[in-house]
Amino acid sequence: MSDFPHVLPTYNRAPITFERGEGVWAIAQNGTRYLDLGAGIAVNALGHANPDLVGALIEQAGKIWHVSNLYNIPQQEKLADLLVENTFADTVFFTNSGTEAAELAIKMARKYHDEKGEPERVEILTFEGAFHGRSTGAIAAAGSQKMVKGFGPLMPGFRQLPFGDTEALRTAITNRTCAVMIEPVQGEGGIRPLPDEDLREIRKLCDDTGTLLILDEVQCGMGRTGRLFAHEFAGIAPDIMMVAKGIGGGFPLGAVLATQSAAAGMVAGTHGSTYGGNPLACAVGVRVMEIVAEPDFLAEVTRKGALMRQKLEGLVASHPRVFESVRGQGLMLGLKCKIAPGDLVQAGYSQQLLTVAAADNVVRLLPPLNITDEEIAEAVDRLDKAAGSLNG
Ligand SMILES: *Cc1c(COP(=O)(O)O)cnc(C)c1O
């Protein structure tokens, strides 16, 4: 047996092992309680071991786990109903991850134009700093050197533009353009919200040219910003939208939402997934949607986001050598740092605080959406101590 790590070492892991969780608290094997502002990268939207979600999962686990999409799946139909009722969408396809949602979004957009007799419309315009997943298609879409280097010929048909540069977009759209694909708030790119007027402008450019608008709300969707989906702030709707992360509350689940028109070409046999939309995932997803889509719940996310932001502004002011600014929306917040973000994440571990680094020198704060006011105060207190320990 070689001494090569048995788990493929594609991650630089922090030396912490969690055993269980309670709400915003992740509890390590040695009993240390960490305040979790990472939430598994915006996944545990309702915290760890949420009794409602545990109940939904256990109830389904005792009945039937998996049947495949060869048969009807009532939990899947119910979740699709909830998503359609609460969004622009007419139809939903379930996946197990954001990456798989990206793959279908790309296929659906190209099929749409093919069906309309314009098979040459294959080019998808994306933006620098974007993240859409790690499949060959998704890395080609984002196009960053870090993700594509060494992986051979990229899937053709993608072109990256400066983030939010609507002028560049205007000239980039040609009679070969299929779709524009963008995150309303970039996550991995460093919590960079696209201004509402830019999103409206992009929608208009798409409408004027018959181009589809694909929104990637894998990280910013499912209530994270205080709206069920972030594009609602701009008062526009996409043609196709990718969802994942928060939608399963920690159970692997993703989805592609689409209008009837955008999805028209996706007839029987054109796409599939063995696991996608399986009864366990959808039973949990239904419960997540029932809680998160409630206007009162979303209003609380907005209120708590504002509270946290206000406290973070104070934090930035008292550590001018560590922090530059706060940005984001709702409970999708970023601290732009003057130091390496990884150093703050490390210092956080010493304060039993979990945060996540992002590009553009940003540390992400993505707590469970049901974090309390007291826990917000405690989190900012710990960030204050972490920043202080960095000589700032
Ligand atoms: C995480 C993420 C993805 C990929 O999702 P996976 O579930 O990791 O495949 C795609 N887009 C965005 C915006 C993301 O944040």
Side-chain angles (χ1 to χ4, degrees), residues 98-99 102 131-135 138-139 142 147 216:
T99 301
F131 183 78
H132 302 299
R134 295 290 198 146
S135 62
I139 62 174
M147 284 192 283
D216 181 346

Side-chain angles (χ1 to χ4, degrees), residues 43-125:
V43 166
N44 304 305
L46 297 172
H48 297 284
N50 181 290
D52 273 330
L53 303 192
V54 171
L57 183 64
I58 288 180
E59 190 191 329
Q60 186 57 44
K63 290 181 185 165
I64 195 162
W65 289 20
H66 180 78
V67 297
S68 87
N69 287 299
L70 299 176
Y71 312 100
N72 296 324
I73 301 178
Q75 299 78 12
Q76 192 184 117
E77 287 163 23
K78 174 133 191 236
L79 183 52
D81 289 346
L82 285 170
L83 287 165
V84 167
E85 276 163 29
N86 283 281
T87 68
F88 73 96
D90 300 311
T91 188
V92 185
F93 183 93
F94 292 102
T95 67
N96 310 288
S97 68
T99 301
E100 290 165 84
E103 290 296 318
L104 173 55
I106 293 163
K107 285 175 69 176
M108 186 185 282
R110 287 181 174 170
K111 191 81 161 75
Y112 167 85
H113 292 290
D114 187 73
E115 292 282 313
K116 289 185 65 177
E118 297 179 307
E120 68 286 355
R121 294 191 72 162
V122 295
E123 189 172 68
I124 297 179
L125 302 172

